[in-house]
Amino acid sequence: MSVTSATSAKRGAYAKTPARKAQIVEAAASVFSTRGYNGGSLREIASQLDVGLTSLVHHFPSKTDLLEAVLVYADEKYIGEFDMIAHDSGMRAAVLDLVERNFGHPELLRLLAVLGTECSSPGYPGNQWFVDRYSRLREEYRARFEHDQAVGRIPARRDPAVLATMLIGLWDGVQLQWLIDPGVDMVATIGAFFDEIEASR
Amino acid sequence: MSVTSATSAKRGAYAKTPARKAQIVEAAASVFSTRGYNGGSLREIASQLDVGLTSLVHHFPSKTDLLEAVLVYADEKYIGEFDMIAHDSGMRAAVLDLVERNFGHPELLRLLAVLGTECSSPGYPGNQWFVDRYSRLREEYRARFEHDQAVGRIPARRDPAVLATMLIGLWDGVQLQWLIDPGVDMVATIGAFFDEIEASR
């Protein structure tokens, strides 16, 4: 069955495009988080939603288009109040608040972790998205740490760019340990990091 | 074709078992590191070696048997001189030495990262292996940090178990940033962590 003829024959079925697109992205996030991007198939995503493959392909012509939508969806769950708390109360408060809220959706964290490692090879689908994501995160956190230094929360002699790379690494890595073994105490570990960088030494 | 009949018919072909097993593990490591465990197939591994699927199944009856062998293979590359340097010169020297040596085989690091995230779900093949691996690593590093404290390299007031979880997290997380973007300076970032924990404050 050709995609084009199916599309024109059944256009009515695609009326509620934004809602359907959102459903597809959520189903894809669920499939990719358990099977990875490589292991997850468009067919499995379609069957989760009880729609045909043709409907899926109508909204997302390729698997990489769907990957990109899933990545944006997963990442946006992370932003929320973070910026506001970081500005008002500093990075320690913002990070620990987000860590607490994240406890409620490990599957989304696992999804970003699985896709981040799968896409880490240059030239792999999604690689550029992760290169840009981490580059943007490092710059955002650098600016936040610089602000914390300006208002006296963190001594100024530390390099805020190094603090940003350290925090992002520590957060990803301790979160992976926690995903593997929920007995790992993320709050205590990240709190101990802030104890270190807030000390005057 | 049944595995049993093929095995008895061609037993001569399996004479050099240890060498052949090692070749299969190396090919599987290569396939899993680019496609993940879910995305990599036994068929692709067999075809890389130009052997039949039956030969593969003779050595590794299931895909999870092969996964376990690949994990041990990848992890053993990590040990080497680490223990000796850690004992003689402390954790900073041992970790930075291993970081430098690891620059030469990013694909093996990527493999462990991909499999670690894929296997992070409880009940997933390989999950228990990673639970045990991280638990063992945390205990080993805790003991190493305790030794560094005993000989005066790190002030004793810090909790060595927290230092172990932090270091493993930071190392995994910064390494992921480096795998995604080789411009990330692992040595400077991990060095800055040791500057923090060695300070007396």
Side-chain angles (χ1 to χ4, degrees):
Chain A
M1 175 166 58
S2 107
V3 174
T4 314
S5 68
T7 305
S8 46
K10 299 203 221 161
R11 187 164 297 279
Y14 306 127
K16 294 175 179 169
T17 292
R20 173 45 54 98
K21 279 189 95 149
Q23 286 170 341
I24 294 172
V25 170
E26 277 181 39
S30 154
V31 168
F32 289 165
S33 72
T34 50
R35 307 221 176 268
Y37 171 72
N38 275 310
S41 71
L42 294 183
R43 198 168 298 277
E44 184 173 356
I45 295 162
S47 89
Q48 269 215 1
L49 291 169
D50 206 18
V51 302
L53 203 54
T54 319
S55 167
L56 210 84
V57 172
H58 169 78
H59 293 291
F60 297 98
S62 75
K63 198 176 171 190
T64 55
D65 292 323
L66 189 51
L67 172 64
E68 183 128 353
V70 166
L71 289 172
V72 170
Y73 164 83
D75 217 31
E76 281 177 353
K77 293 253 181 186
Y78 278 66
I79 306 172
E81 304 166 71
F82 185 89
D83 288 346
M84 200 186 66
I85 301 178
H87 182 267
D88 293 349
S89 313
M91 281 295 270
R92 179 197 279 258
V95 170
L96 291 179
D97 172 76
L98 186 46
V99 166
E100 296 276 2
R101 283 187 287 131
N102 279 346
F103 286 147
H105 47 86
E107 288 316 314
L108 215 53
L109 305 176
R110 200 185 312 278
L111 172 70
L112 273 175
V114 168
L115 294 180
T117 54
E118 272 196 321
C119 299
S120 66
S121 294
Y124 199 93
N127 173 257
Q128 192 57 47
W129 190 88
F130 277 100
V131 171
D132 295 344
R133 173 182 190 255
Y134 277 102
S135 165
R136 193 185 64 240
L137 271 182
R138 281 190 294 267
E139 173 48 28
E140 280 175 17
Y141 286 13
R142 188 203 58 73
R144 296 268 170 227
F145 276 125
E146 206 168 63
H147 174 74
D148 276 3
Q149 291 180 317
V151 300
R153 288 189 195 109
I154 293 174
R157 57 187 293 281
R158 291 176 173 87
D159 182 341
V162 172
L163 294 182
T165 306
M166 280 173 86
L167 172 63
I168 295 165
L170 177 73
W171 195 346
D172 275 348
V174 175
Q175 189 165 276
L176 173 63
Q177 287 181 64
W178 169 75
L179 286 169
I180 289 171
D181 179 352
V184 169
D185 191 337
M186 285 192 72
V187 171
T189 313
I190 292 176
F193 169 76
F194 279 100
D195 291 346
E196 294 293 345
I197 68 170
E198 288 166 4
S200 56
R201 57 158 156 118
Chain B
M1 176 167 52
S2 106
V3 175
T4 315
S5 68
T7 304
S8 45
K10 298 201 223 161
R11 186 164 298 277
Y14 307 127
K16 294 177 181 165
T17 293
R20 173 45 56 97
K21 277 186 101 149
Q23 286 171 341
I24 293 172
V25 170
E26 278 182 39
S30 153
V31 168
F32 290 164
S33 72
T34 49
R35 308 220 175 267
Y37 172 71
N38 274 309
S41 71
L42 294 183
R43 197 168 298 277
E44 185 173 356
I45 295 162
S47 89
Q48 268 213 3
L49 291 168
D50 206 18
V51 303
L53 201 52
T54 319
S55 167
L56 211 82
V57 172
H58 169 78
H59 293 290
F60 298 97
S62 74
K63 197 176 171 189
T64 56
D65 292 324
L66 189 50
L67 172 63
E68 183 129 350
V70 166
L71 289 172
V72 171
Y73 165 81
D75 219 30
E76 280 177 353
K77 292 252 180 186
Y78 277 67
I79 305 170
E81 304 167 72
F82 185 88
D83 288 345
M84 199 186 68
I85 300 177
H87 183 269
D88 294 349
S89 314
M91 282 294 271
R92 179 198 281 260
V95 170
L96 292 179
D97 172 75
L98 186 46
V99 166
E100 297 275 2
R101 281 185 290 131
N102 278 345
F103 286 146
H105 48 86
E107 289 317 314
L108 216 52
L109 305 176
R110 200 186 312 278
L111 172 70
L112 272 175
V114 168
L115 295 178
T117 56
E118 271 196 321
C119 298
S120 67
S121 294
Y124 198 95
N127 174 257
Q128 193 57 47
W129 189 88
F130 277 99
V131 170
D132 296 343
R133 172 181 191 254
Y134 277 102
S135 166
R136 192 184 66 239
L137 270 182
R138 281 191 294 266
E139 174 48 28
E140 282 176 15
Y141 286 13
R142 187 203 59 71
R144 296 267 170 228
F145 277 125
E146 207 169 63
H147 175 74
D148 276 2
Q149 291 180 318
V151 300
R153 289 187 195 113
I154 294 176
R157 56 187 296 279
R158 293 175 172 86
D159 181 341
V162 173
L163 294 182
T165 307
M166 281 173 84
L167 172 63
I168 295 165
L170 178 72
W171 195 347
D172 275 349
V174 175
Q175 189 164 277
L176 173 63
Q177 288 180 63
W178 170 74
L179 285 169
I180 289 171
D181 179 352
V184 169
D185 190 337
M186 287 192 71
V187 171
T189 312
I190 292 176
F193 169 77
F194 280 99
D195 290 345
E196 295 292 344
I197 68 171
E198 287 166 5
S200 54
R201 53 155 160 121

